[in-house]
Amino acid sequence: MDERARVIVVEDEPITRAQLVAHLEEAAFDVDAREDGRELEAAVTRADGPDLVLLDIKLPGADGLALTRALRAVSDVGIVLVTSRQDRVDRIVGLESGADDYVTKPFDPRELVGRCRNLARRVRAQRSRRGEARLRHFADFTLDLLRRELTGPDAARTPLTAGEFQLLHTFVEHAGEVLSRDAILSAIRNREWYPDDRYVDVLVGHLRRKLGETASDPRLIRTVHGKGYLFTAEVA
């Protein structure tokens, strides 16, 4: 892995926790060690959250199975359960609850590291594919559909109102098509609020300014007289 994979180790037994940390740090993981699952969900859902969580099944308070279910409901983080050899039923329940893999105590360090590396690669690959799917690139701009952000050629982020975002999203999804004002109103779901076609023209004017162009010199949003608007950029 080019960048150090991040992992949170949750293990209440100090010696086992220290062993897990030592093996993972030696394998170039960035490790955050904890003795219980308090605030784990908040840590996992941060923007700089981990790629993996190693969870001991037998934790005080919220055990590993409960934590697995809670984490899987809010995150795609990789989850590896740490179990004893006698915890076969718990391992099955853990996998059914959303865990990705498990290692058994006493664990083989090479097996532990190998499983964690493989899972980290899968998690990062999935996140990368999903990240690309949410981005639309055009004319040196990037529109992030999840964060609803527009990034310009100078890497500066341009804030968009809800209406501007919906309009730009409609344009990039229908690039090269002439869209009537009526079709645009339907796409941006503002027909009931703004039944007048003039609202589209006002919104287009605002969006043009955000894209650095004017009605007299349109590069990306062309007016097709008597028909509507054409988004001319190639979108990737």
Side-chain angles (χ1 to χ4, degrees):
M1 291 170 289
D2 297 332
E3 180 186 348
R4 288 170 67 96
R6 299 181 299 278
V7 56
I8 295 178
V9 172
V10 186
E11 166 62 65
D12 65 315
E13 205 284 309
I15 294 177
T16 303
R17 185 168 64 247
Q19 290 174 337
L20 289 168
V21 170
H23 293 316
L24 291 168
E25 286 185 338
E26 185 177 355
F29 282 83
D30 185 356
V31 185
D32 173 5
R34 304 176 178 216
E35 64 181 13
D36 57 46
R38 288 180 295 179
E39 301 183 5
L40 181 60
E41 185 175 328
V44 164
T45 54
R46 289 200 308 259
D48 60 345
D51 302 295
L52 305 178
V53 175
L54 257 70
L55 278 174
D56 183 15
I57 281 187
K58 304 298 185 183
L59 288 171
D63 65 17
L65 298 178
L67 289 169
T68 294
R69 288 189 288 269
L71 293 180
R72 187 53 70 227
V74 298
S75 174
D76 62 354
V77 68
I79 300 174
V80 179
L81 295 175
V82 180
T83 77
S84 72
R85 295 194 185 278
Q86 290 75 39
D87 288 337
R88 182 174 180 275
V89 173
D90 282 345
R91 291 200 298 270
I92 294 172
V93 173
L95 294 174
E96 291 176 344
S97 298
D100 299 282
D101 205 345
Y102 64 87
V103 293
T104 56
K105 302 176 186 176
F107 46 80
D108 182 314
R110 289 175 297 179
E111 179 184 3
L112 168 72
V113 169
R115 288 177 180 272
C116 289
R117 279 179 172 160
N118 289 337
L119 181 55
R121 290 192 187 98
R122 296 206 306 269
V123 169
R124 289 187 168 193
Q126 291 168 359
R127 288 176 173 176
S128 177
R129 287 194 296 270
R130 186 166 57 254
E132 287 300 315
R134 82 184 193 193
L135 301 179
R136 298 292 185 273
H137 305 281
F138 62 91
D140 296 326
F141 287 91
T142 298
L143 179 65
D144 188 321
L145 302 181
L146 183 60
R147 295 183 178 179
R148 300 193 169 203
E149 290 179 346
L150 177 66
T151 304
D154 57 356
R157 293 178 180 175
T158 301
L160 298 173
T161 67
E164 291 165 354
F165 169 78
Q166 291 171 359
L167 178 61
L168 183 54
H169 188 192
T170 299
F171 278 144
V172 299
E173 295 301 313
H174 297 274
E177 301 177 31
V178 176
L179 296 177
S180 68
R181 291 170 177 81
D182 188 62
I184 292 172
L185 277 173
S186 295
I188 64 179
R189 303 183 183 89
N190 281 340
R191 178 185 301 280
E192 295 180 359
W193 304 337
Y194 299 95
D196 190 342
D197 288 355
R198 179 63 182 160
Y199 169 70
V200 174
D201 299 329
V202 172
L203 199 56
V204 166
H206 292 168
L207 184 57
R208 276 175 168 156
R209 285 193 289 274
K210 297 286 179 75
L211 296 172
E213 63 179 44
T214 63
S216 60
D217 183 25
R219 296 176 297 105
L220 300 176
I221 305 174
R222 281 179 43 202
T223 302
V224 181
H225 294 290
K227 294 186 177 181
Y229 292 98
L230 171 66
F231 192 67
T232 62
E234 292 187 3
V235 178

